[in-house]
Amino acid sequence: AQTVTQSQPEMSVQEAETVTLSCTYDTSESDYYLFWYKQPPSRQMILVIRQEAYKQQNATENRFSVNFQKAAKSFSLKISDSQLGDAAMYFCAYQYNTNAGKSTFGDGTTLTVKP
Amino acid sequence: NAGVTQTPKFQVLKTGQSMTLQCAQDMNHEYMSWYRQDPGMGLRLIHYSVGAGITDQGEVPNGYNVSRSTTEDFPLRLLSAAPSQTSVYFCASRTGLGRDGYTFGSGTRLTVV
């Protein structure tokens, strides 16, 4: 079974600074996708960024980027120029390409942004 | 566009009561799932469906039933509520493409007393 581990239950960052959230996963598959989701205090889960395992290039979405190390099974999220609105719980998720419908989530990292 | 709509947003049940959490999506997504979120435990999969008439169990299915009679709707039934089922429940849907992430509903906070 696939597992996803987020080793940092809580992180904090100063506004305008950069922070990196860690995620590791375990799988024997080669064709899969990785995601980061954001859950602000409103509770609404929002997809932040996606990485395709067969692509070596790291995904980027505005201030959000990932560092994908396939051999090490590591998938970290970097938030640049942190804003107060980035404060949320962040979940890393693994999704096997043909595993019907299921995603495996990490336990989440709560990010605090200090003004 | 409504996306994924969950009702109710909050619910208090007494032990032994039954109820149904409603979930509807208007994006014609094939896949739908129910997750529960407990503090420090991330999201755990309860049941999922890959299409109308097809459902399967996730990692924590005991005490819950689902059905998928239409593409749009995926209700979750609590058969006999227990305090251990106190949690926040999320319904989510996505296309059949593995590259597509989930669209989540806004969640239901359930308390069983």
Side-chain angles (χ1 to χ4, degrees):
Chain A
Q2 291 78 25
T3 58
V4 176
T5 302
Q6 294 179 246
S7 60
Q8 307 153 315
E10 298 179 348
M11 292 282 285
S12 67
V13 63
Q14 206 70 33
E15 195 175 6
E17 298 292 308
T18 295
V19 64
T20 298
L21 308 184
S22 300
C23 174
T24 59
Y25 59 96
D26 185 26
T27 184
S28 59
E29 307 298 338
S30 60
D31 187 11
Y32 53 88
Y33 296 86
L34 297 163
F35 303 86
W36 279 98
Y37 290 87
K38 172 185 178 182
Q39 186 181 41
S42 67
R43 205 170 68 192
Q44 181 68 53
M45 295 277 285
I46 304 163
L47 178 62
V48 174
I49 198 165
R50 169 187 57 223
Q51 176 73 42
E52 302 170 55
Y54 61 86
K55 286 190 175 180
Q56 291 187 335
Q57 185 175 4
N58 289 324
T60 299
E61 290 286 346
N62 300 313
R63 297 183 295 107
F64 297 86
S65 61
V66 301
N67 183 5
F68 174 50
Q69 302 290 328
K70 190 172 185 178
K73 297 179 182 175
S74 170
F75 180 59
S76 60
L77 175 69
K78 186 172 80 171
I79 306 174
S80 304
D81 185 25
S82 297
Q83 301 175 359
L84 295 177
D86 295 333
M89 179 167 281
Y90 288 83
F91 291 94
C92 177
Y94 166 99
Q95 189 163 288
Y96 180 40
N97 193 21
T98 60
N99 189 0
K102 296 189 288 186
S103 284
T104 301
F105 287 82
D107 289 342
T109 297
T110 299
L111 177 66
T112 301
V113 181
K114 299 178 180 178
Chain B
N1 290 333
V4 178
T5 302
Q6 281 185 244
T7 56
K9 294 191 183 305
F10 301 93
Q11 182 71 49
V12 179
L13 285 180
K14 294 182 178 179
T15 298
Q17 287 185 318
S18 63
M19 78 159 296
T20 300
L21 306 185
Q22 301 292 344
C23 176
Q25 53 93 6
D26 62 357
M27 299 169 284
N28 201 32
H29 284 172
E30 296 176 55
Y31 293 174
M32 297 186 75
S33 297
W34 276 101
Y35 289 89
R36 60 177 287 173
Q37 182 179 19
D38 301 296
M41 300 185 74
L43 291 163
R44 293 185 292 169
L45 182 65
I46 304 171
H47 286 285
Y48 67 101
S49 168
V50 299
I54 306 170
T55 64
D56 205 347
Q57 297 180 351
E59 71 181 294
V60 288
N62 292 340
Y64 308 94
N65 274 356
V66 292
S67 60
R68 185 114 179 256
S69 57
T70 67
T71 300
E72 295 78 19
D73 299 302
F74 191 44
L76 177 72
R77 298 182 188 84
L78 279 69
L79 309 174
S80 177
S84 61
Q85 294 178 304
T86 294
S87 187
V88 179
Y89 292 84
F90 286 96
C91 179
S93 72
R94 69 173 180 88
T95 72
L97 300 174
R99 68 185 303 272
D100 288 339
Y102 275 102
T103 299
F104 282 82
S106 57
T108 296
R109 181 175 292 278
L110 175 69
T111 302
V112 182
V113 298

